[in-house]
Amino acid sequence: MNLVKKSLICISLITVLIFTALGCYAVIGFHQGKKMAQTHVTKRKNSTFSADEQTNLKEITILLIGDDGREDDEDGGRADTLMVAHYNSETKQPKLLSIMRDSYVQIPGHGAEKINAAYAYGGAELTKQVLNTSFDLPINYYISVDFQHFIRLIDDLYPKGVEIDAEKELNLDNVDIKKGQQSMDGNTLLQYARFRMDGEGDFGRVRRQQQVMDALAKQAKNAVPLLQLPQIAGEAVGYLDTNIPADLLIDLAKDFLSGKVKPLQTLSVPVEGSWAFNDYTEAGSVLEIDEKQNTQAIHKFLADETDQ
């Protein structure tokens, strides 16, 4: 055997060993992160979730639920935040649909109620059913995260903080936020996204939530080193109440952390001109919405770029 052949064989063996080592490192890191996170999780709410079938394998819809998670929650377990994320893995286009929590809808088995009550009555499964019937919106996956786990995830994923240009001064849960550009840790970011104690109410709150989600997407590629991705992905799986398979979660994380994705597109529901206030319902102050108009707006928003 000549020297060239010996060199090629050595290079091939070294390459195989390197990739094997990296694979083992990724698996070990993932499971370590997951195990660590699960030590902080005491309950899962959504074991009965039944996913809607994907009609297009390149596109997924994910129900995002912010769960207060506190025993003294005055809303009785209602979803604090309700969003639907849509991602096209071929075009790398992420889209985010925010649904205002006071939207007045029919909840199967419970009559007319605010949409965020669906989570208290029947978790992610019942919330998905409402989205199916009210907006003809199929849901493939769900992610539910409570406040404390959100804080931990942000602090782990963005150890240097998240850069936000705060639109106003505000205070919530003893967190003071000044107007202007700043770096926010997990708890500060949470309070900025939750605040609604002003004249804008949920409208301003949804706008800030979309601002936060946009910042998270844009800054993901600079958040953590690629070698830390397996452990962070494991932590995410451990912290989150979700039905997303681990391999899909890692693939999504790779796209965002590598900076491959396009700028986030957002839509708020109800859309302009499709709602009216009503203070005379058993559910209190609500947004009465034109479901047909909002369904059309949602479908147009989520359509492929080539179809618009």
Side-chain angles (χ1 to χ4, degrees):
M1 185 180 295
N2 60 38
L3 184 61
V4 173
K5 287 185 178 180
K6 287 182 178 180
S7 298
L8 288 174
I9 292 173
C10 287
I11 291 172
S12 298
L13 288 173
I14 291 172
T15 301
V16 170
L17 288 172
I18 289 173
F19 278 104
T20 301
L22 287 173
C24 292
Y25 171 83
V27 171
I28 293 171
F30 178 87
H31 286 289
Q32 284 180 338
K34 182 178 179 180
K35 184 177 180 180
M36 184 278 294
Q38 286 178 332
T39 62
H40 301 284
V41 178
T42 58
K43 58 183 178 180
R44 301 287 188 189
K45 291 185 177 180
N46 300 296
S47 59
T48 62
F49 184 85
S50 58
D52 294 324
E53 185 178 354
Q54 285 181 247
T55 56
N56 186 334
L57 293 179
K58 69 182 180 182
E59 298 179 54
I60 58 173
T61 54
I62 306 172
L63 172 61
L64 305 177
I65 299 168
D67 180 356
D68 190 322
R70 298 179 296 188
E71 293 182 358
D72 61 346
D73 177 13
E74 65 180 10
D75 284 335
R78 298 185 180 208
D80 187 78
T81 301
L82 185 60
M83 298 177 173
V84 176
H86 179 276
Y87 185 62
N88 186 316
S89 60
E90 183 174 85
T91 65
K92 307 300 181 185
Q93 178 63 67
K95 298 183 180 182
L96 185 68
L97 172 68
S98 297
I99 302 173
M100 295 192 188
R101 52 192 260 166
D102 290 344
S103 299
Y104 201 45
V105 297
Q106 289 290 328
I107 299 178
H110 299 275
E113 251 285 14
K114 295 179 181 181
I115 195 169
N116 69 334
Y119 190 68
Y121 294 142
E125 171 61 25
L126 187 57
T127 305
K128 184 208 72 170
Q129 291 177 24
V130 173
L131 296 175
N132 291 163
T133 57
S134 293
F135 304 116
D136 189 25
L137 182 58
I139 301 296
N140 310 129
Y141 302 100
Y142 78 89
I143 294 175
S144 175
V145 60
D146 68 29
F147 290 172
Q148 293 306 312
H149 297 147
F150 174 86
I151 292 171
R152 289 179 183 273
L153 273 175
I154 295 301
D155 289 342
D156 287 345
L157 282 169
Y158 301 83
K160 296 181 180 179
V162 179
E163 294 297 319
I164 290 285
D165 187 5
E167 60 182 31
K168 64 192 302 181
E169 290 189 6
L170 56 87
N171 174 281
L172 184 62
D173 280 1
N174 298 316
V175 174
D176 288 307
I177 298 175
K178 301 296 183 182
K179 180 180 179 180
Q181 190 72 32
Q182 57 201 276
S183 179
M184 295 187 181
D185 63 12
N187 187 42
T188 305
L189 194 69
L190 174 68
Q191 308 314 328
Y192 182 72
R194 289 182 58 223
F195 182 82
R196 62 177 185 141
M197 304 301 178
D198 58 11
E200 288 189 293
D202 214 28
F203 289 88
R205 181 174 179 270
V206 163
R207 183 178 65 251
R208 286 185 290 275
Q209 288 176 348
Q210 291 181 343
Q211 179 191 8
V212 166
M213 296 297 285
D214 185 49
L216 294 178
K218 286 179 178 177
Q219 296 171 42
K221 63 181 179 180
N222 299 318
V224 295
L226 191 60
L227 286 177
Q228 291 183 17
L229 174 59
Q231 181 172 344
I232 295 298
E235 290 179 19
V237 171
Y239 282 134
L240 301 176
D241 182 358
T242 182
N243 69 326
I244 301 180
D247 56 348
L248 176 56
L249 193 64
I250 291 175
D251 286 342
L252 292 172
K254 284 180 180 177
D255 279 357
F256 280 85
L257 290 174
S258 64
K260 292 180 179 179
V261 299
K262 294 179 179 178
L264 181 69
Q265 296 179 5
T266 60
L267 178 73
S268 297
V269 170
V271 298
E272 187 175 355
S274 70
W275 59 272
F277 280 117
N278 186 342
D279 290 328
Y280 301 100
T281 73
E282 292 185 1
S285 179
V286 301
L287 298 177
E288 290 191 327
I289 64 176
D290 183 328
E291 291 190 356
K292 182 178 180 180
Q293 184 177 345
N294 281 286
T295 297
Q296 291 172 344
I298 290 171
H299 285 198
K300 182 179 180 181
F301 174 67
L302 296 181
D304 279 345
E305 295 85 344
T306 55
D307 296 335
Q308 294 185 15

